[in-house]
Amino acid sequence: MSITADPSITLAGTPSVDATPAVADLDVIVSLAKRRGFVFPSSEIYGGINAVWDYGPLGVELKNNVKRAWWRSIVQERNDVVGLDAGILMHPQVWRTSGHVGSFSDPLVECTACKRRYRLDELPGTDSLTPLQLAEADVVTRLGLVCPDCEGSLTAPRRFNLMFKTFMGPVEEDAAVIYLRPETAQGAYVQHKNVRDAARKKIPFGIAQVGKSFRNEISPGNFVFRMREFEQMELQMFVRPEEGATAAFDEWLPRRLEWYKAYGVSPARLRAREHAPDELAHYAKRAIDVEYRFPFGWKELEGVHNRGDFDLSRHAAESGESLSYFDPSTEQTFTPWVVEAAAGADRAAFTFLIDAYREEMVRDEKRVVLGLHPELAPYKVAVLPLLKKRDDLVELAHRIRNGLSREFAAVYDDTAAIGKLYRRQDEIGTPWCICVDVESMEDRAVTVRDRDSMEQERVSVDRLEDYFLGKLRAARP
Ligand code: GAP
């Protein structure tokens, strides 16, 4: 179901027709990511482990920059949002109360011949089925579904809980079972009152959190799109019931869409999609996904959810602690409602990476460019000596890099000829290159080359820091 029943939500850029993906073949990105050190398969020397990926030197910079940009827009620039870093392991009652133990599951079918397992709702021909239909015992036979790999027969669906279990303490018994959190949100709910009191916040206010979550996904895949270990960036706004939630929803959905656009994602490849009532998660009263046109179709990038008082009421009832709020201005006591904007750090970084990718012909040669926003680019500046055998050039280039790296990530490279060095930096998204040449020894100036226009400008060495800080400030959304 695609949006926009609610006219108060501005969805500029929501495309009415299907958009072309930035990259037709996902393998192009997977291969660049590995070759240039953005993302590696986990534990590769042992054959890898499904659905876990490691971030290499450039990937960790990119993902840190994504998380920093999110934090700045969500926490730093807002007086009504504060941060939290709750533990991954929580009291197991949290997950019983939240409904995850009972309801956080996907419909699983298994091939009786090859034993492969599938998420029923991802098999061809199941697109239009409602969750209730997906749970029907005869759905597989009624639709004539078979194993996509070997055409063997499939079992009837059963619910498969996505939470990872482990044991706390030295004894592996039922009483010691705890879970790896499947979302960061619960940390904000169970710490809601501590945070509100300590930060002296009045409703409405928000708690933001960035951290790892774990889901034992039945069918992970599409590179880092769906993993079993991943990182979330979640904002929970605690608001007045009903109209406070409507206002927060209408504020945050367009704000979140804008955030992706401001950091360079093409508006044509972004849209908002409202969940049908029978598609809503167990906690949600309303949900709209921010979706991106990935090479494998329109998929969720982030979810904006109105969770009502589901979480706080249930935690209050189960724990016996009051989580209600007394509003002195109206003299009313109520349980705050929650509106969340739940994003994935990996999915966001992946999206920025794909959307930034372009190939172009320059003087009959293919140039690959990652047109990343300067704030997201792993390195802001590369410092390249024209002649690596000239000690004076090399020494000045190192001195420049060392100076700049106090302010932002800068890299030195002299392992190829200058043309090749420029191309390498284009391919990893470095917005500016500095070339230290023989003239630099005379005029104490260097050539600065712009990644996108490829224009070059002579800038004095003394001015470089201010020059780049000015450019970074100007690019900031
Ligand atoms: N607290 C609500 C919540 O967790 P969600 O829609 O299940 O909502 C929020 O998850 C975001 O977390 C998703 O939009 C996605 O960006 C990210 N995410 C969820 N599962 C993921 C997975 N298996 N791999 C990578 N990212 C995932």
Side-chain angles (χ1 to χ4, degrees), residues 110-128:
E110 188 172 325
C111 175
T112 53
C114 72
K115 305 292 175 206
R116 283 201 173 81
R117 292 170 156 202
Y118 303 95
R119 236 176 90 170
L120 176 60
D121 56 336
E122 296 200 331
L123 289 180
T126 59
D127 295 13
S128 57

Side-chain angles (χ1 to χ4, degrees), residues 211-287:
K212 287 267 172 127
S213 293
F214 302 82
R215 295 183 190 178
N216 196 5
E217 301 279 3
I218 298 169
S219 57
N222 286 323
F223 194 36
V224 295
F225 177 79
R226 190 177 290 137
M227 300 191 281
R228 292 194 168 118
E229 173 180 343
F230 56 98
E231 217 167 346
Q232 290 187 305
M233 310 186 288
E234 295 200 290
L235 165 69
Q236 312 298 322
M237 288 301 296
F238 298 91
V239 299
R240 294 182 67 81
E242 208 89 58
E243 73 285 7
T246 307
F249 206 100
D250 291 350
E251 176 187 355
W252 282 99
L253 176 64
R255 192 181 276 281
R256 294 303 302 141
L257 268 164
E258 279 312 312
W259 184 79
Y260 291 102
K261 291 182 204 164
Y263 281 100
V265 177
S266 159
R269 286 191 279 271
L270 282 172
R271 73 177 187 189
R273 188 186 70 84
E274 178 140 26
H275 284 212
D278 63 1
E279 194 191 346
L280 289 171
H282 62 275
Y283 51 73
K285 283 187 178 303
R286 187 181 184 201

Side-chain angles (χ1 to χ4, degrees), residues 175-472:
V177 165
I178 53 162
Y179 303 93
L180 302 188
R181 68 180 174 200
E183 62 170 10
T184 63
Q186 296 300 324
Y189 305 145
V190 300
Q191 291 293 2
H192 162 76
K193 196 160 177 310
N194 276 340
V195 174
R196 194 175 78 202
D197 291 347
R200 309 185 76 79
K201 289 291 174 200
K202 293 196 171 82
I203 300 288
F205 83 101
I207 300 180
Q209 193 170 187
V210 174
K212 287 267 172 127
S213 293
F214 302 82
R215 295 183 190 178
N216 196 5
E217 301 279 3
I218 298 169
S219 57
N222 286 323
F223 194 36
V224 295
F225 177 79
R226 190 177 290 137
M227 300 191 281
R228 292 194 168 118
E229 173 180 343
F230 56 98
E231 217 167 346
Q232 290 187 305
M233 310 186 288
E234 295 200 290
L235 165 69
Q236 312 298 322
M237 288 301 296
F238 298 91
V239 299
R240 294 182 67 81
E242 208 89 58
E243 73 285 7
T246 307
F249 206 100
D250 291 350
E251 176 187 355
W252 282 99
L253 176 64
R255 192 181 276 281
R256 294 303 302 141
L257 268 164
E258 279 312 312
W259 184 79
Y260 291 102
K261 291 182 204 164
Y263 281 100
V265 177
S266 159
R269 286 191 279 271
L270 282 172
R271 73 177 187 189
R273 188 186 70 84
E274 178 140 26
H275 284 212
D278 63 1
E279 194 191 346
L280 289 171
H282 62 275
Y283 51 73
K285 283 187 178 303
R286 187 181 184 201
I288 295 184
D289 285 345
V290 173
E291 292 192 335
Y292 176 72
R293 179 61 168 97
F294 287 96
F296 40 89
W298 286 102
K299 296 282 173 195
E300 175 186 341
L301 197 48
E302 163 160 1
V304 180
H305 309 137
N306 176 353
R307 299 178 67 130
D309 65 353
F310 180 89
D311 303 280
L312 292 195
S313 291
R314 286 179 63 132
H315 283 305
E318 280 300 327
S319 66
E321 291 283 328
S322 168
L323 297 177
S324 62
Y325 175 76
F326 174 71
D327 185 342
S329 64
T330 59
E331 303 211 321
Q332 284 175 317
T333 299
F334 56 84
T335 301
W337 280 30
V338 169
V339 169
E340 72 173 345
D346 310 272
R347 231 175 250 189
F350 182 35
T351 301
F352 290 122
L353 193 66
I354 297 177
D355 214 71
Y357 184 91
R358 64 174 194 265
E359 292 176 4
E360 56 195 34
M361 292 308 286
V362 177
R363 287 185 288 279
D364 293 333
E365 251 185 65
K366 184 169 90 172
R367 176 171 99 114
V368 172
V369 186
L370 278 188
L372 287 168
H373 187 285
E375 221 174 290
L376 303 184
Y379 300 128
K380 314 304 171 199
V381 174
V383 191
L384 318 168
L386 185 65
L387 303 169
K388 71 172 179 188
K389 293 209 169 117
R390 280 274 302 258
D391 290 348
D392 49 351
L393 269 62
V394 168
E395 193 267 333
L396 177 59
H398 276 298
R399 202 141 41 82
I400 291 172
R401 194 217 73 93
N402 292 346
L404 295 179
S405 65
R406 283 198 306 263
E407 296 291 340
F408 44 76
V411 65
Y412 169 92
D413 193 5
D414 66 7
T415 56
I418 191 72
K420 199 159 188 185
L421 292 179
Y422 282 152
R423 290 289 186 270
R424 278 189 199 161
Q425 295 301 325
D426 292 342
E427 200 188 31
I428 61 170
T430 309
W432 302 288
C433 287
I434 290 174
C435 177
V436 180
D437 55 26
V438 179
E439 262 197 315
S440 304
M441 298 298 116
E442 308 296 319
D443 64 1
R444 309 307 288 173
V446 289
T447 299
V448 175
R449 171 193 180 266
D450 183 276
R451 173 194 70 200
D452 299 319
S453 66
M454 291 189 284
E455 277 170 13
Q456 305 198 347
E457 187 182 353
R458 204 76 186 156
V459 180
S460 123
V461 172
D462 302 340
R463 264 201 332 116
L464 282 172
E465 188 172 304
D466 288 343
Y467 174 88
F468 290 118
L469 286 176
K471 280 191 175 286
L472 285 168

Side-chain angles (χ1 to χ4, degrees), residues 125-138:
T126 59
D127 295 13
S128 57
L129 296 188
T130 65
L132 280 179
Q133 289 168 325
L134 287 166
E136 285 166 3
D138 66 345

